[in-house]
Amino acid sequence: MSSDAVILEAPDRGETVDATARAFAEAFGYEPDGVWSAPGRVNIIGEHVDYQDGLCLPMAISHRCFVAAARTPTDLVRVRSAQSDVVFEGQAGDLAPDAVEGWPAYVTGVLWALRPFISGAVQQGVDIYLDGHVPLGSGLSSSASVECASAEALESLLSLGTTPLDRVRACIAAENDFVGASTGGLDQSASVLAREGRALLLDCRDFSTTPVAWDLAGQGLALLITDTRAEHSHAGGEYADRRRDSERAAEILGVGTLRDIDPAGLDEALGRIDDEVVRRRARHVITEIQRVRDFDALLERGSVREGVAQLGALLNASHDSLRDDYEVTVPALDVAVDAARAAGAHGSRMTGGGFGGSTIALVEADSAQDVAQAIADAFAREGLGSPAFFLALPEDGSGQDR
Ligand code: ADP
Ligand code: MG
């Protein structure tokens, strides 16, 4: 047996806002102009389809990144984080891809990506202090929470006049083109556009979103997040390999992206792909997009409670496809998912890019603790480290806190 599983709660939002403002004042010696924040996210279903113009269904979680910031009278950009000793200091006009090392690139990259909106003032300096409460590198998108909170601060401080979608696109550009970590846009869309009490049906073809009722608590249900704490790296080669495989499949099938393949013609389409690996990659993307349609249709038709068995089955099918066809799971993810299912979860799957990171399980609210304990016990049996547990409550997207 392992020790008691603890389901962790996000820190109080008001207190964290105060603490971030105080930390800014200590770091820079004066009061910030404001405090902004953006959440991490879980993707409920629709994984590894964003870069194939697919559909996905993320929601924001309670864990957020807070940014206290101020406009300065100089052209200096200074960035600090409560989670790191690394400090960035550089001139606004010098920001360019590859010019900034380490985590500060996630912040300065957003300033760089927003420069088309900064009329004649690319020399404007800012001081930024961030305090992130989304666990880093857990597949819950701490990176997007940093970017999107920064974008929100810059929008306000520099009166840029950007739309939420402009900020989504700037944050995607920051991560892809400035940090150099491949991202399809799911994370940034969720972090900016999420709505409280809703999941967000996201069409990655045009980043249009439709809020979907996702009232778990009112129906005695919960979404348990397990951060496996297994090593996870997105910038790494595996993620790029999967993207390449799916692009290759689209090329063979003569379509722009796999979104264009009608799932009704799945077998015929797969029959035209000789390479066995590329064929399985295509099968995942095409069937996963259909699972999102099916999931959304169930939620359109009735409550989560009414559709819970079928919704759970779709979550299970998604994980199995990611494990067998897309091959982005690792043992810790499979152990967490198997243990949740065995402990009575309606369904469970990995969430995020894979190769480590987190899983979700759709559970009865009053059994969340037992499911968490079953997962912790399975980890102990398998000699895996201790996982961390959270409940995913659908929160609002990025905005100003003060
Ligand atoms: P994920 O987005 O799933 O958490 P990523 O690898 O995409 O994982 O992003 C994690 C990276 O984001 C960290 O290695 C770090 O560079 C940066 N980051 C996230 N949160 C913070 C923070 N609070 N302070 C500094 N850097 C952060
Ligand atoms: Mg990330």
Side-chain angles (χ1 to χ4, degrees):
M1 282 286 283
S2 61
S3 50
D4 286 351
V6 178
I7 299 177
L8 301 165
E9 286 187 24
D12 180 83
R13 188 154 163 185
E15 283 172 20
T16 317
V17 170
D18 292 345
T20 311
R22 273 198 309 275
F24 177 102
E26 268 165 40
F28 295 114
Y30 68 103
E31 295 295 320
D33 291 339
V35 180
W36 296 262
S37 70
R41 61 96 190 93
V42 286
N43 190 21
I44 302 167
I45 193 160
E47 211 67 77
H48 276 284
V49 298
D50 57 352
Y51 47 78
Q52 283 295 318
D53 283 353
L55 300 167
C56 35
L57 194 73
M59 59 174 265
I61 58 176
S62 314
H63 294 72
R64 305 175 77 86
C65 176
F66 295 83
V67 162
R71 204 182 152 117
T72 63
T74 71
D75 67 346
L76 265 195
V77 176
R78 299 189 292 181
V79 190
R80 289 165 181 265
S81 163
Q83 282 71 44
S84 172
D85 293 332
V86 175
V87 173
F88 174 82
E89 209 172 298
Q91 252 124 14
D94 290 346
L95 295 177
D98 301 325
V100 180
E101 282 190 13
W103 71 264
Y106 288 91
V107 178
T108 52
V110 175
L111 181 56
W112 170 82
L114 284 169
R115 71 207 179 294
F117 298 95
I118 307 175
S119 49
V122 274
Q123 306 304 325
Q124 175 61 54
V126 280
D127 285 337
I128 293 182
Y129 185 94
L130 65 93
D131 187 3
H133 293 267
V134 182
L136 268 66
S138 298
L140 300 175
S141 210
S142 68
S143 60
S145 74
V146 169
E147 294 153 8
C148 299
S150 302
E152 215 60 54
L154 292 168
E155 161 59 33
S156 296
L157 290 177
L158 308 181
S159 306
L160 300 178
T162 57
T163 65
L165 202 54
D166 291 332
R167 296 196 286 283
V168 169
R169 291 187 191 283
C171 292
I172 295 171
E175 189 153 340
N176 273 324
D177 305 333
F178 197 92
V179 176
S182 196
T183 176
L186 157 67
D187 304 348
Q188 295 80 4
S189 301
S191 188
V192 173
L193 303 169
R195 292 283 158 269
E196 194 179 351
R198 314 261 155 186
L200 209 60
L201 180 65
L202 170 67
D203 186 335
C204 297
R205 178 163 270 169
D206 55 8
F207 293 112
S208 61
T209 50
T210 314
V212 179
W214 182 247
D215 170 30
L216 296 181
Q219 296 165 51
L221 293 161
L223 201 63
L224 176 71
I225 302 174
T226 303
D227 173 5
T228 65
R229 290 174 163 164
E231 200 59 39
H232 135 111
S233 167
H234 257 197
E238 296 271 21
Y239 180 87
D241 285 350
R242 295 306 181 279
R243 276 185 85 135
R244 230 185 341 264
D245 288 347
S246 61
E247 280 158 19
R248 179 92 192 94
E251 204 178 292
I252 293 167
L253 296 175
V255 290
T257 62
L258 294 175
R259 170 72 177 277
D260 293 328
I261 300 296
D262 180 357
L266 178 68
D267 290 343
E268 185 275 326
L270 295 179
R272 287 193 278 140
I273 304 176
D274 289 335
D275 185 310
E276 192 263 340
V277 171
V278 175
R279 195 186 317 134
R280 282 191 287 120
R281 305 293 192 247
R283 183 166 58 192
H284 166 73
V285 174
I286 298 164
T287 59
E288 182 77 354
I289 293 171
Q290 185 57 38
R291 281 187 285 274
V292 178
R293 289 195 191 95
D294 294 345
F295 203 95
D296 178 54
L298 284 164
L299 293 176
E300 284 286 313
R301 212 174 303 146
S303 66
V304 186
R305 169 59 68 193
E306 284 163 331
V308 75
Q310 290 152 291
L311 294 169
L314 287 166
L315 296 178
N316 288 341
S318 169
H319 183 83
D320 296 353
S321 175
L322 288 157
R323 181 191 60 210
D324 301 336
D325 277 348
Y326 224 59
E327 296 180 282
V328 293
T329 72
V330 292
L333 291 169
D334 295 330
V335 167
V337 162
D338 290 346
R341 291 178 187 172
H346 295 291
S348 181
R349 59 180 291 274
M350 57 157 270
T351 187
F355 308 110
S358 297
T359 68
I360 52 171
L362 181 59
V363 299
E364 294 297 318
D366 58 13
S367 77
Q369 182 62 44
D370 291 344
V371 175
Q373 190 64 54
I375 295 170
D377 292 346
F379 270 54
R381 265 197 317 275
E382 298 290 329
L384 299 162
S386 299
F389 300 102
F390 314 95
L391 287 180
L393 304 171
E395 296 281 347
D396 56 337
S398 61
Q400 183 156 16
D401 282 82
R402 180 199 278 181

